[in-house]
Amino acid sequence: MAEDNRKKRKTKRKGRRDIAWQNKDVSCKVLAEQLRGRDFSVYGLKLPKIADIMPTNLPAVEANELRIDNLFLLEDDSYAIIDYESEYREGNKQKYLGYLARLTKRLYNIHKCYKKIRMIVIYTADVEKGSTMPALELGAVSLQLTEVFLADMDSDGIRKSLEEKIRRGEAFSKEDLMRLVIYPLTFRGPAAKRDATHQAIKLADGITDTEQEWAVLKLLLAFTDKVISKEDREYIREVITMSGVEKMIENEKREAVKKAVEEVEAKAEQEKAEAIQEYAAKAEQTLEEYAAKAE
């Protein structure tokens, strides 16, 4: 019985881990589409542009496997690890040291040299600037974090700017899309994040480009997975599903219109050809009658 319970607990933990990792994969894939060739200005960071998005799993000899939130190759051939946190824990530095050690080993095995790595921690609005310690000095090893505090972002300004673009019918830039994605994380507390998530979904609904709308919704689901309720996650999935149905209907409408136009054009061409043929036949008949009278 005890062994069965252990197996059940292990399976349950693995299920939760797989779900979380799937969200990271979704986030990474969509992020790659939106951020490749861009920089980190949306976070207020002055870094080289992103050259590529790298795999986020860091396998080790141990039975467990570390997964970071995002890993980017930058244009200066350095790497940037990004981790999102909704609270500050001094013990998290052990996790970051693990990331750096395993990534360093992986990169050295590939390139046979050591690469520069930045460790970037992005805190939701629940963590205020000045409440953290970005450095760790162990003598032989030093750790220096680059910290971003979303509490510093102008939440109302982001919303008003995006609403104004929607009102004017302007297309969203990639920076706009990322501001919309992180918008819910600029609020403090579960209730405020939930309300902001719903506002973000409404704003996403105003995006005219369906592919961009899908990208935002999928990223919202991945980015807010840790901070919103199960009901809200299901709500976002519902919206994504509805968007998919609407897109399918829109495509069917477009295909139907295209087919109707082609049929009308084909009919017009056929009628035109028949009219020409009829006119030619009548002209020939008239010429024959004229020739007969002339004889």
Side-chain angles (χ1 to χ4, degrees):
M1 179 65 71
E3 181 63 27
D4 291 341
N5 289 336
R6 278 196 296 272
K7 287 181 179 179
K8 287 179 181 178
R9 285 196 298 272
K10 184 177 179 182
T11 302
K12 189 176 181 180
R13 285 196 301 271
K14 183 179 183 299
R16 286 200 300 267
R17 184 182 63 184
D18 289 345
I19 291 170
W21 285 3
Q22 288 166 8
N23 282 337
K24 299 300 180 191
D25 290 341
V26 169
S27 174
C28 188
K29 289 174 184 177
V30 182
L31 209 64
E33 297 170 4
Q34 298 302 321
L35 285 187
R36 186 176 282 112
R38 313 302 294 183
D39 56 27
F40 293 87
S41 58
V42 68
Y43 296 117
L45 295 175
K46 293 182 179 180
L47 296 176
K49 290 183 179 180
I50 296 169
D52 204 357
I53 284 73
M54 311 304 292
T56 56
N57 59 309
L58 299 173
V61 177
E62 298 93 331
N64 66 320
E65 181 183 34
L66 289 179
R67 279 218 170 192
I68 57 184
D69 285 343
N70 296 119
L71 175 60
F72 300 103
L73 169 63
L74 307 186
E75 287 187 344
D76 66 349
D77 203 33
S78 67
Y79 290 79
I81 295 175
I82 292 186
D83 223 44
Y84 293 85
E85 303 288 1
S86 57
E87 61 179 328
Y88 172 72
R89 292 180 182 175
E90 183 66 14
N92 279 343
K93 291 186 174 70
Q94 299 174 41
K95 176 177 66 173
Y96 306 146
L97 286 169
Y99 292 165
L100 293 166
R102 295 187 188 184
L103 180 58
T104 297
K105 181 178 180 181
R106 176 206 280 179
L107 295 176
Y108 187 84
N109 288 338
I110 295 172
H111 303 286
K112 305 306 177 187
C113 65
Y114 293 106
K115 296 288 185 177
K116 182 177 180 180
I117 304 172
R118 295 176 175 88
M119 183 67 230
I120 302 170
V121 182
I122 298 177
Y123 292 105
T124 66
D126 304 278
V127 181
E128 295 183 358
K129 184 182 289 185
S131 64
T132 68
M133 296 181 64
L136 176 65
E137 178 58 57
L138 299 177
V141 176
S142 297
L143 174 65
Q144 181 63 52
L145 305 175
T146 299
E147 296 180 319
V148 175
F149 297 89
L150 297 184
D152 291 342
M153 299 193 74
D154 182 6
S155 304
D156 288 339
I158 293 173
R159 177 179 52 80
K160 289 176 181 177
S161 172
L162 297 179
E163 286 176 343
E164 183 62 21
K165 283 200 169 186
I166 290 173
R167 188 185 66 79
R168 294 198 300 260
E170 295 180 12
F172 277 20
S173 66
K174 289 188 177 181
E175 287 79 6
D176 291 330
L177 296 178
M178 286 309 300
R179 287 189 185 97
L180 179 53
V181 166
I182 64 176
Y183 174 71
L185 304 182
T186 64
F187 289 83
R188 184 179 301 174
K193 285 185 180 66
R194 181 172 60 250
D195 293 342
T197 300
H198 285 234
Q199 287 178 348
I201 292 171
K202 288 180 182 179
L203 286 169
D205 190 50
I207 299 174
T208 54
D209 187 320
T210 307
E211 294 299 327
Q212 283 190 340
E213 180 189 0
W214 275 26
V216 169
L217 291 173
K218 289 175 182 177
L219 277 172
L220 273 173
L221 184 61
F223 273 61
T224 60
D225 180 66
K226 298 178 184 177
V227 296
I228 62 172
S229 66
K230 179 182 177 182
E231 290 74 17
D232 287 326
R233 286 196 295 273
E234 291 303 321
Y235 174 64
I236 297 176
R237 289 191 181 97
E238 247 179 70
V239 174
I240 293 173
T241 302
M242 288 302 295
S243 298
V245 171
E246 289 170 2
K247 183 183 179 184
M248 183 176 65
I249 293 172
E250 189 62 31
N251 287 340
E252 288 178 354
K253 284 181 181 178
R254 199 176 289 114
E255 287 298 320
V257 170
K258 182 181 177 183
K259 185 177 180 181
V261 170
E262 289 174 350
E263 288 177 353
V264 168
E265 289 177 348
K267 187 176 181 181
E269 286 295 325
Q270 184 179 355
E271 290 177 349
K272 181 179 178 181
E274 290 175 353
I276 292 172
Q277 188 176 1
E278 184 180 352
Y279 177 81
K282 285 182 179 180
E284 186 178 356
Q285 183 180 356
T286 301
L287 287 172
E288 288 176 354
E289 290 175 355
Y290 180 79
K293 287 179 181 180
E295 291 177 356

